[in-house]
Amino acid sequence: MAESYIFPTIWWDGKLTPLENATMNVTQIGTASVSSVFEGIRAYLNPNTNELNVFQLDAHLKRFLQSLRLVRLEHDFSLQDLHDAVVALVRENNPERDVYIRPFGYAESRTFGAATDPHAHVVIHVTDWDSKLKTDSVSHSCVSSWTRLTDNQMSPRVKASANYLNSRYANEEAKRNGYDHAILLTPQGKVAEGPGMCLMIVRNGKLITPSITSGILESVTRESVMQLAREALELPVIEREVDRTELYTADEAFFCGTGIEITPIVSIDRMKLGNGDPGEITQRVLNCYHDVVRGIEPRYEEWRTVISNE
Ligand SMILES: Cc1ncc(COP(=O)(O)O)c(C=O)c1O
């Protein structure tokens, strides 16, 4: 995988800081990783206005604050502080392309273990990450032999770095077996989500997606897609438990998430979905999402924080 370029200024505990000066003690790696929660936010360049559209900034920041709260990390920042921090950071780096914004909250401790300092540091950095929307990217997926985490164990609702060890197992196994992505099931055998994304299936013209109590992250993209499907595309959308065999009998399926964006799933466990090409409803969702996130579609402006390049 190509390494992403990290833009030269980061935001750290309230200050814009040169990346090269943003160092921490190497002995903190273990504790900071175990304690940390994070977010992933995309900003899309509008080709007509040359402005960056940060997609669903406040929804992501609210989830970030919720993750910090659920792991009981204290901090000094309000939603507005973090919103302003992201805007200032993007302005300072002045990217003239699509970027990815990553806030992290983490604690430090002199001893490696569960008991860290209750106070979180917050750091935000910006990298490039090209969009794959409308590039014909598809996924051949598999059902993972690994089970998704559960709420009373390590809640998938918390976007905690440590949860991604579960994702790593599933990802690594899928790639080793020649698939693009994994789909994880709950301990009850119901469909949960991918290692870093949610999913939706299409059956008989209806969009169906595992409910928020099916071992998933409360995905901002999933929420946005459900609203777009209902309002802009006039499609029925159902949130419910999804059986494994419904994956194989689906007419269409796609992943959704900030990183994966909308990616059509064309086969699962080597069973083709439909005729093996991205389905018609999936394409409609993808095109609509593309136009909304880039600001080509004027509606849903409340989802976009527009930052002009100076
Ligand atoms: C485990 C997991 N599920 C779902 C998602 C999708 O969430 P969102 O749409 O908020 O990016 C992500 C990505 O961040 C994720 O890591």
Side-chain angles (χ1 to χ4, degrees):
M1 203 166 135
E3 273 195 25
S4 315
Y5 171 74
I6 305 175
F7 282 83
T9 303
I10 68 154
W11 184 95
W12 202 2
D13 287 340
K15 288 195 198 82
L16 293 174
T17 308
L19 178 63
E20 62 202 26
N21 298 349
T23 56
M24 61 185 276
N25 192 309
V26 73
T27 62
Q28 298 302 311
I29 290 174
T31 316
S33 317
V34 166
S35 65
S36 77
V37 298
F38 68 104
E39 267 308 317
I41 307 161
R42 276 192 191 261
Y44 291 90
L45 197 70
N46 179 315
N48 305 323
T49 62
N50 221 22
E51 291 169 332
L52 271 175
N53 291 264
V54 186
F55 187 61
Q56 293 276 28
L57 175 58
D58 287 353
H60 280 285
L61 293 176
K62 274 185 197 153
R63 189 174 64 191
F64 183 58
L65 293 174
Q66 176 178 282
S67 293
L68 284 164
R69 182 165 173 270
L70 285 168
V71 299
R72 293 178 186 269
L73 280 176
E74 295 157 12
H75 58 88
D76 304 325
F77 306 109
S78 65
L79 180 65
Q80 190 62 47
D81 293 337
L82 296 175
H83 176 110
D84 294 347
V86 169
V87 172
L89 180 63
V90 172
R91 278 229 164 89
E92 177 67 23
N93 284 298
N94 197 21
E96 288 171 359
R97 53 185 189 270
D98 295 349
V99 289
Y100 186 68
I101 301 154
R102 175 144 276 182
F104 264 103
Y106 65 94
E108 294 180 302
S109 167
R110 286 179 179 232
T111 55
F112 179 65
T116 57
D117 184 333
H119 187 82
H121 297 279
V122 176
V123 62
I124 311 175
H125 72 270
V126 182
T127 69
D128 56 6
W129 193 1
D130 289 339
S131 168
K132 287 202 170 159
L133 289 170
K134 295 200 172 179
T135 62
D136 297 332
S137 171
V138 295
S139 174
H140 294 275
S141 302
C142 62
V143 173
S144 184
S145 73
W146 295 97
T147 302
R148 188 70 183 129
L149 299 164
T150 65
D151 190 58
N152 201 31
Q153 174 201 38
M154 286 178 65
S155 177
R157 181 166 289 107
V158 182
K159 199 164 166 62
S161 304
N163 286 5
Y164 287 79
L165 196 50
N166 178 243
S167 301
R168 184 186 163 91
Y169 289 145
N171 253 335
E172 196 274 333
E173 178 192 55
K175 301 270 180 213
R176 194 158 22 91
N177 292 334
Y179 297 100
D180 299 314
H181 301 106
I183 299 169
L184 289 133
L185 305 181
T186 66
Q188 292 72 37
K190 302 294 178 185
V191 177
E193 61 178 347
M197 59 277 202
C198 286
L199 90 151
M200 302 204 178
I201 61 172
V202 179
R203 297 192 75 191
N204 303 320
K206 298 187 184 90
L207 273 183
I208 305 168
T209 189
S211 64
I212 54 164
T213 51
S214 294
I216 68 168
L217 181 72
E218 290 177 336
S219 154
V220 173
T221 316
R222 174 183 168 281
E223 272 302 319
S224 312
V225 166
M226 287 197 297
Q227 194 174 332
L228 288 179
R230 286 184 178 125
E231 290 176 4
L233 304 176
E234 297 184 2
L235 293 167
V237 182
I238 304 164
E239 297 174 77
R240 63 161 172 80
E241 282 189 339
V242 174
D243 279 340
R244 176 178 185 160
T245 48
E246 288 186 284
L247 295 175
Y248 307 128
T249 55
D251 305 316
E252 308 177 23
F254 60 89
F255 285 122
C256 62
T258 300
I260 196 104
E261 303 174 293
I262 307 293
T263 298
I265 303 173
V266 293
S267 75
I268 301 177
D269 289 337
R270 308 209 193 283
M271 286 169 87
K272 267 193 213 168
L273 300 194
N275 64 6
D277 290 324
E280 189 232 315
I281 291 184
T282 302
Q283 293 284 18
R284 286 177 62 205
V285 170
L286 190 155
N287 291 339
C288 177
Y289 183 78
H290 170 272
D291 290 355
V292 168
V293 296
R294 284 211 184 279
I296 295 167
E297 158 67 65
R299 284 180 294 170
Y300 301 100
E301 69 181 325
E302 65 281 11
W303 291 355
R304 297 181 292 260
T305 300
V306 180
I307 303 178
S308 311
N309 276 318
E310 265 139 34

